Amino acid sequence: MSFLAEAQLNINHFIRVGRTRISIGNYTGAIEYFNIVIEFKPYLAEAYLYRGMAKHSLEDYRGAIADYDKAIEIKPYYPRAYNNRGMAYHNLRLYKRAIEDYDRALEFDPSDESIYNNRGIAKLALKDLEGAIEDYDNALEVNPKSTHALMNRSNAKIVSGDIKGAISDLNQVIIIRPHYAAAYLNRGLARFELEDYASALRDYDQSIRFDATNALAFNNRGIVKHKLEDYESAIMDYDMAIQLNPEMASAYFNRAMAREILNRPGYEQDYQIAARLNPQFDLSQRRINAEQLAQQQQQQQKQQNSSSQQNNNQQNSQANQQALAQNNQQQSPQQNNATVDDQKSDEEKRKEEMEAERRRRRMRMDLVIEDTRDIPEEVEEVEDGRIQDKNIVIDLQPMFFISAFEKNAVDYERFQYYNVVIDDLNAENNYNPLLSISNKPVATSQSVFENFILFFNEKIEVQENAHNYLNRGIFYSLTGDYNSAFADLDKAIALDEKISLAYFTRANTRYKLKEQVELLAGVGSNNSLTLNEGKINDNSNEKPSTVEYQEILDDYAVTLFLDPDFFFGYYNRAFIKLRLGEYRSAVEDLNRAIDLEPEFAEAYFNRGLTKIFLDDIEGGAMDLSRAGELGIDGAYNIIKRYCN
């Protein structure tokens, strides 16, 4: 009984620590704890719910949905799971499915204001303004002081054109929460639309007073000052907005306009940056579109008036005469100036053209307001644990090879997966050396490996058998003495042609040698698939031929023939196939590796990356979610940058 009580206490401890890690933003750490809970109590719905919440926070929405599904399967009457799953569907822009989940959640808990709020947000996304406002009204019936519901209803009212109604809701929010920066920001937007610039300016001042890190507030306050022709002060606000958010295209664009009005240098560069960050601010493209529209309108006009072509010709003739007269009027001062002062310099002409372009640009474009209506509530971003936001380089997980520890070593980091073949080899060695299989770097252990070579030199002098040659060949390979490694591995195979690890190690050694040769030749043999600017790319400029890698593939084939359950053989062979561009065949090998080892994180990762390259976004996202769940944090970065 005491043992059972202690076990129960430990499970509660893991749940408590996992929830604490979620609350402090350590989401990957939380997943580790809930994995343990699920392993020992797979029937506990809460463990799946909380793990789903951690994945949700890492923006792994598909992985979160899978966990919410499991929680609902175990506990069908679980409103929180339905609500959370609805939010995940919303983030994937599957608004109708989100509403279905919110409906289901409200069946079980009709008094939860947050569910009404979330359903209202989904309805607003579907342009169902009346339905959204009705849901916010229901939330306010449950809790009349719900600032979230009031904020959301004000957003819906602004979209519907009820600006005064929106301001009334925001007034209530400010009464309830006088220091709520977002409420002042939104009320400033509403007052700006009513052209009540003085009141809008006061609201933005208050918003910045309570939250001096909000780039939107500085940008929008700059716009009000811009409208009031206080360009100097407006530029200062745009500067601050850009400092807080260097990727805010609208702030660059607005600052460019203010600088241009004051004829300050740097405005052209600001226009270029704005266009680069957001194509909608590309003035050259807008000019092209305007010219195309004008041409279309001219063609339509010609078609409509084809019956009165003669009258049109007369009108065109008159228009041409007028244009010619205007042109003559424009040219005559230049001609007069030419007789008196010769001609205007090219520099003066250029300045006149630039000034004319500035006037046209100011007429064409208006200031760009950053709107927060699509942001239903304040979201506090937590940096700790948000691996999906970090700028990291991601490529395929590397190959596995046999490595070792000193006897009594305490560095167990390289113990990743148990395999009976390696364990048998360790038992035959009397666990000295302690062999493992890993894909972690080994550069820091070179002296250890050299000592083991000396150790097996002595053993081979005593007894020349396949086992001793295999061991020494492993350590020669680890130290980079590939020729000696080949000699020992060949000898081991000659003595025992059924020793599968000798073929496996020889294949790995051949790849390492080839990799080194290519590196020295400047070809480079980096992993074939990498993530670059949101795209899965094939890095190989010229893929090597299968012939070049045939010996490696042959050795893996023999390895797997001798030991069909050796999942590392399938994984490494898939890695080589990816290098050769044989993606679908590689996926088949990874499938087999995962079938044999269902928690093979690296296999899920590489398969996910490959599936995305093959345009299977859903399948790739689920594989990467599983890889992240099993400890490869970088998977969440790919999910955010490519799958969402």
Side-chain angles (χ1 to χ4, degrees):
M1 291 294 292
S2 62
F3 173 77
L4 292 175
E6 184 179 355
Q8 178 67 39
L9 180 64
N10 286 339
I11 290 297
N12 290 337
H13 167 75
F14 282 115
I15 292 175
R16 186 166 56 252
V17 172
R19 292 181 63 180
T20 301
R21 289 189 170 192
I22 289 176
S23 68
I24 64 174
N26 184 4
Y27 306 118
T28 54
I31 289 171
E32 290 176 9
Y33 270 74
F34 291 121
N35 285 346
I36 294 170
V37 175
I38 289 168
E39 183 176 353
F40 288 99
K41 288 202 172 183
Y43 51 83
L44 201 62
E46 285 71 18
Y48 290 100
L49 175 76
Y50 290 124
R51 190 174 71 176
M53 291 169 62
K55 292 178 182 178
H56 200 133
S57 298
L58 288 165
E59 299 177 57
D60 174 16
Y61 304 122
R62 293 173 184 83
I65 288 169
D67 275 346
Y68 297 144
D69 287 345
K70 190 65 178 176
I72 290 168
E73 179 187 330
I74 296 168
K75 191 175 177 181
Y77 309 106
Y78 203 174
R80 190 174 182 186
Y82 284 107
N83 183 42
N84 286 10
R85 191 172 70 177
M87 289 190 289
Y89 279 130
H90 186 107
N91 286 319
L92 292 173
R93 299 179 180 84
L94 300 172
Y95 304 120
K96 291 183 179 179
R97 296 188 71 171
I99 290 171
E100 289 173 5
D101 270 348
Y102 296 141
D103 291 343
R104 193 78 170 136
L106 287 168
E107 287 180 22
F108 303 126
D109 189 0
S111 62
D112 189 334
E113 65 172 282
S114 66
I115 303 173
Y116 287 110
N117 266 317
N118 291 339
R119 190 172 70 175
I121 295 167
K123 288 180 178 178
L124 188 62
L126 291 173
K127 311 299 182 187
D128 179 8
L129 298 177
E130 291 183 5
I133 291 172
E134 182 182 353
D135 272 339
Y136 300 141
D137 290 343
N138 290 332
L140 289 166
E141 284 183 16
V142 175
N143 179 10
K145 293 188 176 181
S146 171
T147 54
H148 292 323
L150 287 166
M151 288 284 285
N152 293 341
R153 191 170 70 177
S154 72
N155 290 337
K157 286 181 177 179
I158 290 177
V159 173
S160 66
D162 182 10
I163 309 299
K164 292 183 179 178
I167 291 174
S168 176
D169 280 346
L170 292 166
N171 289 343
Q172 290 186 58
V173 174
I174 290 168
I175 290 170
I176 298 167
R177 292 180 62 182
H179 299 152
Y180 193 4
Y184 291 100
L185 178 62
N186 283 13
R187 193 171 70 176
L189 281 168
R191 287 174 164 173
F192 184 90
E193 294 209 10
L194 292 177
E195 298 185 2
D196 183 359
Y197 299 134
S199 298
L201 191 62
R202 287 196 298 272
D203 276 339
Y204 290 137
D205 286 342
Q206 285 291 83
S207 180
I208 290 168
R209 177 187 169 196
F210 297 128
D211 181 7
T213 64
N214 193 328
L216 298 176
F218 282 101
N219 180 66
N220 291 355
R221 188 175 71 175
I223 289 169
V224 175
K225 294 175 179 178
H226 201 131
K227 285 285 188 182
L228 296 172
E229 299 186 2
D230 183 4
Y231 304 117
E232 293 277 0
S233 188
I235 289 172
M236 292 174 65
D237 274 343
Y238 299 144
D239 288 343
M240 194 63 191
I242 291 168
Q243 181 179 333
L244 292 168
N245 182 3
E247 296 184 0
M248 183 180 280
S250 56
Y252 285 102
F253 189 87
N254 294 338
R255 187 174 71 178
M257 294 186 69
R259 283 177 167 178
E260 192 175 17
I261 289 169
L262 296 177
N263 202 21
R264 282 191 179 178
Y267 69 87
E268 291 178 338
Q269 183 181 8
D270 275 349
Y271 280 128
Q272 291 172 1
I273 295 172
R276 199 160 55 242
L277 290 171
N278 189 336
Q280 81 176 70
F281 300 134
D282 189 345
L283 295 177
S284 62
Q285 187 62 40
R286 285 174 176 266
R287 183 165 57 251
I288 291 169
N289 293 339
E291 290 172 356
Q292 290 174 346
L293 180 62
Q295 290 174 0
Q296 291 174 1
Q297 290 174 343
Q298 288 175 2
Q299 290 174 359
Q300 292 173 0
Q301 188 68 26
K302 286 178 182 179
Q303 291 173 359
Q304 291 171 359
N305 299 331
S306 59
S307 60
S308 56
Q309 187 173 2
Q310 186 175 359
N311 292 336
N312 282 343
N313 289 338
Q314 292 175 355
Q315 291 173 2
N316 288 339
S317 176
Q318 292 172 1
N320 288 338
Q321 290 174 2
Q322 291 173 359
L324 182 60
Q326 291 174 359
N327 192 38
N328 289 337
Q329 288 174 3
Q330 291 173 359
Q331 289 179 357
S332 58
Q334 293 177 1
Q335 291 169 353
N336 292 335
N337 289 340
T339 56
V340 179
D341 304 320
D342 278 337
Q343 227 176 357
K344 281 189 177 180
S345 68
D346 291 340
E347 181 65 22
E348 289 174 327
K349 287 181 181 179
R350 190 179 68 81
K351 286 182 179 179
E352 286 181 357
E353 289 173 0
M354 288 175 60
E355 182 59 33
E357 174 61 25
R358 279 198 293 269
R359 285 196 299 271
R360 286 194 296 272
R361 188 181 287 161
R362 283 198 295 272
M363 292 173 64
R364 242 186 353 254
M365 303 293 294
D366 198 358
L367 295 164
V368 182
I369 298 177
E370 283 293 336
D371 201 338
T372 60
R373 291 174 207 157
D374 292 332
I375 305 173
E377 59 186 70
E378 282 186 318
V379 178
E380 294 184 5
E381 300 289 351
V382 183
E383 288 296 325
D384 186 23
R386 291 181 62 86
I387 185 69
Q388 77 274 24
D389 291 334
K390 296 179 181 177
N391 186 19
I392 59 178
V393 176
I394 298 176
D395 55 16
L396 290 172
Q397 294 294 302
M399 293 169 64
F400 280 81
F401 52 88
I402 300 173
S403 184
F405 300 97
E406 284 186 287
K407 192 173 182 179
N408 302 321
V410 294
D411 176 16
Y412 294 105
E413 182 185 0
R414 283 191 284 278
F415 277 112
Q416 294 170 274
Y417 303 99
Y418 171 80
N419 188 266
V420 65
V421 179
I422 302 297
D423 194 50
D424 288 345
L425 188 60
N426 278 325
E428 196 169 348
N429 284 334
N430 198 25
Y431 297 95
N432 184 30
L434 184 59
L435 296 171
S436 68
I437 192 157
S438 169
N439 65 347
K440 300 291 190 292
V442 295
T444 57
S445 303
Q446 293 301 298
S447 61
V448 175
F449 301 150
E450 289 168 0
N451 288 334
F452 281 127
I453 290 172
L454 298 175
F455 175 71
F456 280 102
N457 285 344
E458 295 179 5
K459 295 197 74 171
I460 288 171
E461 284 185 10
V462 174
Q463 185 177 13
E464 293 190 21
N465 60 23
H467 173 79
N468 287 335
Y469 279 111
L470 168 62
N471 277 279
R472 193 173 69 175
I474 288 170
F475 290 109
Y476 273 134
S477 182
L478 289 170
T479 57
D481 186 352
Y482 301 128
N483 289 331
S484 297
F486 286 134
D488 274 356
L489 295 168
D490 290 345
K491 185 71 173 175
I493 291 169
L495 292 170
D496 182 0
E497 62 182 12
K498 293 184 178 180
I499 188 164
S500 63
L501 289 181
Y503 294 98
F504 179 73
T505 304
R506 191 169 68 178
N508 293 345
T509 306
R510 281 175 168 156
Y511 178 73
K512 287 180 182 178
L513 177 61
K514 191 153 194 62
E515 189 177 40
Q516 190 176 72
V517 169
E518 289 177 347
L519 189 63
L520 291 172
V523 176
S525 61
N526 53 340
N527 298 344
S528 173
L529 297 181
T530 61
L531 181 71
N532 181 31
E533 297 181 358
K535 284 189 68 178
I536 302 296
N537 297 313
D538 190 339
N539 257 3
S540 308
N541 295 327
E542 282 188 21
K543 293 189 185 67
S545 67
T546 306
V547 175
E548 296 177 69
Y549 284 80
Q550 193 58 55
E551 288 184 324
I552 300 173
L553 293 171
D554 288 345
D555 272 346
Y556 286 135
V558 176
T559 302
L560 294 169
F561 175 78
L562 294 171
D563 187 358
D565 294 336
F566 189 61
F567 51 87
F568 297 109
Y570 292 103
Y571 175 89
N572 281 13
R573 188 169 69 177
F575 185 94
I576 297 297
K577 288 179 178 179
L578 289 173
R579 179 100 172 88
L580 297 170
E582 298 174 6
Y583 305 115
R584 299 194 184 281
S585 181
V587 169
E588 291 176 5
D589 273 346
L590 291 168
N591 292 344
R592 182 64 178 146
I594 289 168
D595 287 342
L596 292 167
E597 174 49 71
E599 296 191 353
F600 200 166
E602 290 81 2
Y604 282 107
F605 186 96
N606 286 0
R607 190 174 72 174
L609 208 61
T610 307
K611 283 182 178 180
I612 293 173
F613 178 76
L614 295 173
D615 291 328
D616 179 8
I617 305 300
E618 287 290 327
M622 292 307 297
D623 274 348
L624 290 169
S625 174
R626 182 69 171 138
E629 179 184 307
L630 292 169
I632 302 179
D633 297 344
Y636 297 113
N637 190 283
I638 298 182
I639 290 171
K640 175 175 181 176
R641 290 161 65 183
Y642 194 83
C643 300
N644 292 342

